[in-house]
């Protein structure tokens, strides 16, 4: 069991560029969650899919952020026109029932 | 989800048994008590969870008070690898809607040799 896989592990972008983050959930898990972690805000929920359908995106910024789950084997988080305040560790988690298992995160730095 | 209260930090020495407390006075009957831990540069790691009965696994023992208003994560014979921030989180079981985890500051456990 490889666990949740996130790619890339590190990404540096220039202000205004687009960033796409990938998450491969644990095989067989039906739910995928995205979180963001910064020193100032801590670990915050962004959005969540179950059986590929979006269920709750209450934590997603209203502009520039979008998430998709086109198939059961991966999800993407896209940030358009990145800003320095988007710099954070983006964490993906998957679950079969109640327990969520986290990936190692993608460290995004926007210069 | 109800709120939890944990000490900011605790210190221990290798080989000791560590008791990490968590207070959740307003817990609802259908809320699980989850524990995660996180070390720098890694995602949170699931430790254990319980509803009413004490639970044990290879990582820890979770003691839940009979009134469920508090719990204690017990780490036997800690090693340097157990140094982490430990989060106590309440989560409604079998949520049909949002199932997000709400993380607080947690307890930073320091282990010295």
């Amino acid at each position: 069991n490889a666990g949740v896989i996130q790619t890339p592990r590190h990404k540096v972008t220039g202000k205004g560029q687009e960033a796409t983050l990938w998450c491969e959930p644990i095989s067989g898990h039906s739910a995928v969650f995205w979180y963001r972690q910064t020193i100032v805000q801590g670990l915050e929920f962004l959005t969540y899919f179950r059986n590929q359908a979006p269920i709750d995106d209450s934590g997603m910024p209203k502009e520039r952020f979008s998430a998709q789950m086109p198939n059961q084997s991966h999800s993407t988080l896209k940030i358009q026109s990145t800003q320095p305040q988007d710099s954070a560790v983006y964490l993906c988690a998957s679950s079969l029932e109640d327990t969520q298992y986290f990936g190692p995160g993608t460290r995004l730095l926007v210069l | 989800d109800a709120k939890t209260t944990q000490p900011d930090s605790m210190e221990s020495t290798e080989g000791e048994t560590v008791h990490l407390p968590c207070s959740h006075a307003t817990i609802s009957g259908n809320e699980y008590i989850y524990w995660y831990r996180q070390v720098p540069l890694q995602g949170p790691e699931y430790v254990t969870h319980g509803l009413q009965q004490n639970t044990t696994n290879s990582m820890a023992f979770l003691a839940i008070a009979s009134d469920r208003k508090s719990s204690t994560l017990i780490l036997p014979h800690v090693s340097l690898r157990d140094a982490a921030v430990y989060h106590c989180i309440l989560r409604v079981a079998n949520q049909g809607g949002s199932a997000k985890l709400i993380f607080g500051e947690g307890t930073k456990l320091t282990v010295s040799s």
Side-chain angles (χ1 to χ4, degrees):
Chain A
N1 188 341
V4 174
I5 298 172
Q6 292 190 249
T7 54
R9 292 292 310 277
H10 304 271
K11 185 173 183 65
V12 180
T13 65
K15 181 179 174 181
Q17 293 185 327
E18 181 178 286
T20 300
L21 313 180
W22 289 69
C23 171
E24 181 179 329
I26 294 172
S27 179
H29 282 194
S30 56
V32 169
F33 302 79
W34 286 95
Y35 295 83
R36 176 171 65 180
Q37 187 169 28
T38 62
I39 293 175
V40 174
Q41 297 294 331
L43 210 159
E44 305 172 290
F45 167 80
L46 293 176
T47 188
Y48 137 64
F49 297 85
R50 183 171 291 281
N51 296 320
Q52 300 172 235
I55 302 297
D56 179 0
D57 66 354
S58 59
M60 288 281 273
K62 299 306 179 189
E63 297 179 349
R64 303 186 294 106
F65 281 67
S66 63
Q68 294 181 335
M69 191 163 184
N71 57 59
Q72 63 184 11
S73 64
H74 87 274
S75 174
T76 58
L77 179 68
K78 183 179 293 185
I79 309 172
Q80 295 178 312
S81 185
T82 54
Q83 302 297 310
Q85 62 264 32
D86 299 331
S87 297
V89 176
Y90 289 84
L91 292 156
C92 176
S94 72
S95 72
L96 178 59
E97 294 182 350
D98 287 321
T99 300
Q100 295 178 31
Y101 298 90
F102 285 80
T106 293
R107 187 172 296 271
L108 176 67
L109 177 62
V110 182
L111 301 176
Chain B
D1 296 313
K3 180 179 170 57
T4 63
T5 302
Q6 299 177 253
D8 291 338
S9 63
M10 292 187 67
E11 296 182 352
S12 63
T13 304
E14 275 192 300
E16 288 183 339
T17 295
V18 174
H19 293 72
L20 299 173
C22 181
S23 173
H24 28 79
T26 59
I27 189 171
S28 300
N30 62 346
E31 285 184 307
Y32 280 110
I33 302 158
Y34 271 82
W35 284 83
Y36 282 82
R37 69 182 185 183
Q38 188 176 21
V39 298
L41 304 180
Q42 293 186 24
E45 178 186 21
Y46 167 76
V47 177
T48 189
H49 75 284
L51 188 62
Q52 285 188 311
Q53 304 298 319
N54 297 338
T55 63
T56 188
N57 61 21
S58 60
M59 295 178 71
F61 179 82
L62 177 60
I64 302 173
S66 57
D67 63 5
R68 301 207 328 124
K69 293 183 184 298
S70 66
S71 60
T72 302
L73 185 71
I74 300 170
L75 305 174
H77 310 299
V78 294
S79 69
L80 296 177
R81 290 174 297 179
D82 293 315
V85 176
Y86 286 78
H87 295 275
C88 171
I89 302 167
L90 303 184
R91 184 177 175 282
V92 176
N94 300 322
Q95 290 176 310
S98 176
K100 61 189 176 187
L101 295 175
I102 300 174
F103 285 80
E105 296 299 317
T107 297
K108 183 177 182 178
L109 175 65
T110 303
V111 181
S112 57
S113 57

